[in-house]
Amino acid sequence: MDGSHSPQVTSKAIKVILAQPRGFCAGVERAIDIVERALIKFGPPIYVRHEIVHNRHVVEDLRARGAVFVDELDEVPEGAMTVFSAHGVARKVEKAAAGRALPVIDATCPLVAKVHAEGRRYARQGREIVLIGHAGHAEVEGTIGQIDGKVYLVQTIEDAGSLTVQNPEKLSYITQTTLSVDDTRGIIAVLKDRFPAVVGPDVRDICYATQNRQEAVHHLAELVDLILVVGSKNSSNSNRLREIGAELGRPSYLIDDASHLQASWFEGIRTVGLTAGASAPEVLVKGVIEGLRQFGQLEIEMLAGTPEDVKFKLPAEVANV
Ligand code: 10D
Ligand code: SF4
């Protein structure tokens, strides 16, 4: 491909290497599909508690089509069709919806729900639970609120180093699905060192999509001078991709779309790595490629990466739309 049609093209050549896999995961595809199908089946407005996924463009697009995003259920009118976001909700939110007899479709990713179930299982075994994750994140609030019993939130190695628990012999841990695999391994190592009887899934709560996209950035960083991650500021998994690029010594930028590109980033840069978080649509990646043409003639290459064929079943309420 070349950019010979663009009047802004310079003679500089930039190689763009696309990470593989990148962009939408199966949980995000399913969550967006649920809202789209609910709009078709029930008609607007469809109320969505929290952003369905953490992507500005996805949210704006669905809003334009009749989705109404609310922070809390008390903003939902009586009887209105309500969708819970892919990040999951606390039990009290489910109960509040049931108490008001709101019709609900749950778009919680099955892999987030699996972590909820794992935490509940540990609680039934009489274990206290350490949740490794980020304070204030929707998934973390949902997971804590799905588990009866003591849950300690640990965000860093330092937190793990200073944690005190009631019974170290009955301790378990679970994790948020979108963490850095390397950081999480470090935190688990400290927990195991301090509480040898602790049980947990190692890093397997970090979902396949998160792990594959991180691995692809590791590979990308060996080949490029700079990394662009398409994703929104509040997207945990997208932030982790940018961080990994930076930790591997490559200037790395998290951008919502091509409008965020800055000319100064590309001075002296010959090779650009491009990836996208699990909530970022591919159309935005295409837009960024188009946007990059203003900085030079592009040569585009695609990395080989772990193939993904994960697909989750839709909830019964919208399965036959
Ligand atoms: O912030 P995040 O990475 O958890 O969410 P985002 O909506 O960006 O991506 C999908 C991931 C989900 C729903 C958590 F599993
Ligand atoms: Fe599910 Fe993983 Fe996607 Fe989160 S990032 S929605 S856990 S598949």
Side-chain angles (χ1 to χ4, degrees):
M1 287 195 212
D2 69 36
S4 54
H5 302 301
S6 164
Q8 294 156 299
V9 161
T10 69
S11 56
K12 181 176 160 179
I14 299 178
K15 184 190 269 192
V16 178
I17 306 184
L18 289 162
Q20 196 80 278
R22 65 178 179 279
F24 278 6
C25 61
V28 164
E29 297 237 12
R30 175 177 179 268
I32 296 171
D33 204 8
I34 287 171
V35 178
E36 288 176 339
R37 285 166 179 253
L39 284 165
I40 292 168
K41 181 166 174 182
F42 306 105
I46 297 293
Y47 284 79
V48 184
R49 185 194 174 278
H50 195 74
E51 291 188 349
I52 185 70
V53 298
H54 291 152
N55 186 270
R56 192 160 67 75
H57 286 273
V58 169
V59 167
E60 279 170 8
D61 175 56
L62 290 172
R63 187 179 282 131
R65 290 151 67 185
V68 178
F69 292 92
V70 297
D71 291 330
E72 291 305 337
L73 276 192
D74 53 20
E75 298 164 61
V76 178
E78 293 313 317
M81 183 57 67
T82 305
V83 176
F84 292 157
S85 85
H87 315 90
V89 296
R91 278 237 169 96
K92 66 170 193 266
V93 176
E94 294 172 334
K95 282 188 184 146
R100 289 177 54 198
L102 286 177
V104 167
I105 311 176
D106 188 358
T108 302
C109 176
L111 298 182
V112 173
K114 192 184 91 179
V115 177
H116 296 170
E118 186 179 33
R120 287 195 293 259
R121 181 165 55 82
Y122 286 138
R124 280 197 302 277
Q125 294 169 354
R127 296 180 186 277
E128 292 180 280
I129 292 153
V130 178
L131 170 60
I132 305 171
H134 297 290
H137 188 280
E139 180 184 331
V140 163
E141 290 182 348
T143 301
I144 292 172
Q146 283 283 338
I147 300 168
D148 298 322
K150 186 71 196 161
V151 181
Y152 302 96
L153 181 62
V154 160
Q155 303 192 70
T156 60
I157 284 201
E158 290 71 31
D159 289 351
S162 61
L163 178 71
T164 54
V165 301
Q166 278 163 19
N167 183 359
E169 298 307 313
K170 279 281 211 181
L171 191 63
S172 60
Y173 67 86
I174 56 177
T175 87
Q176 193 175 343
T177 57
T178 55
L179 300 180
S180 150
V181 173
D182 293 337
D183 291 355
T184 305
R185 278 194 212 288
I187 293 172
I188 293 169
V190 173
L191 289 176
K192 285 188 168 163
D193 188 47
R194 296 196 54 228
F195 310 107
V198 71
V199 296
D202 191 47
V203 293
R204 286 186 301 277
D205 282 349
I206 302 177
C207 77
Y208 79 96
T210 302
Q211 299 215 19
N212 290 346
R213 282 153 191 68
Q214 288 181 11
E215 195 184 323
V217 169
H218 276 272
H219 189 183
L220 201 58
E222 290 170 11
L223 307 170
V224 301
D225 304 320
L226 170 149
I227 292 179
L228 299 173
V229 179
V230 182
S232 289
K233 293 279 174 278
N234 59 344
S235 168
S236 166
N237 78 87
S238 306
N239 275 287
R240 302 296 79 80
L241 298 179
R242 191 209 63 77
E243 263 170 29
I244 289 168
E247 281 161 14
L248 294 170
R250 301 291 175 267
S252 298
Y253 302 98
L254 178 62
I255 54 174
D256 262 303
D257 55 42
S259 72
H260 288 185
L261 293 170
Q262 291 181 29
S264 59
W265 297 348
F266 301 97
E267 281 160 22
I269 297 291
R270 300 207 149 273
T271 315
V272 173
L274 180 55
T275 187
S279 47
E282 182 65 12
V283 65
L284 300 177
V285 174
K286 296 225 166 75
V288 169
I289 294 172
E290 289 313 306
L292 285 170
R293 293 190 194 285
Q294 67 190 299
F295 307 119
Q297 293 208 352
L298 303 188
E299 181 193 328
I300 302 188
E301 207 178 279
M302 179 109 71
L303 281 188
T306 310
E308 292 180 343
D309 57 1
V310 180
K311 233 179 161 352
F312 296 128
K313 251 178 74 179
L314 285 162
E317 297 91 332
V318 290
N320 298 316
V321 177

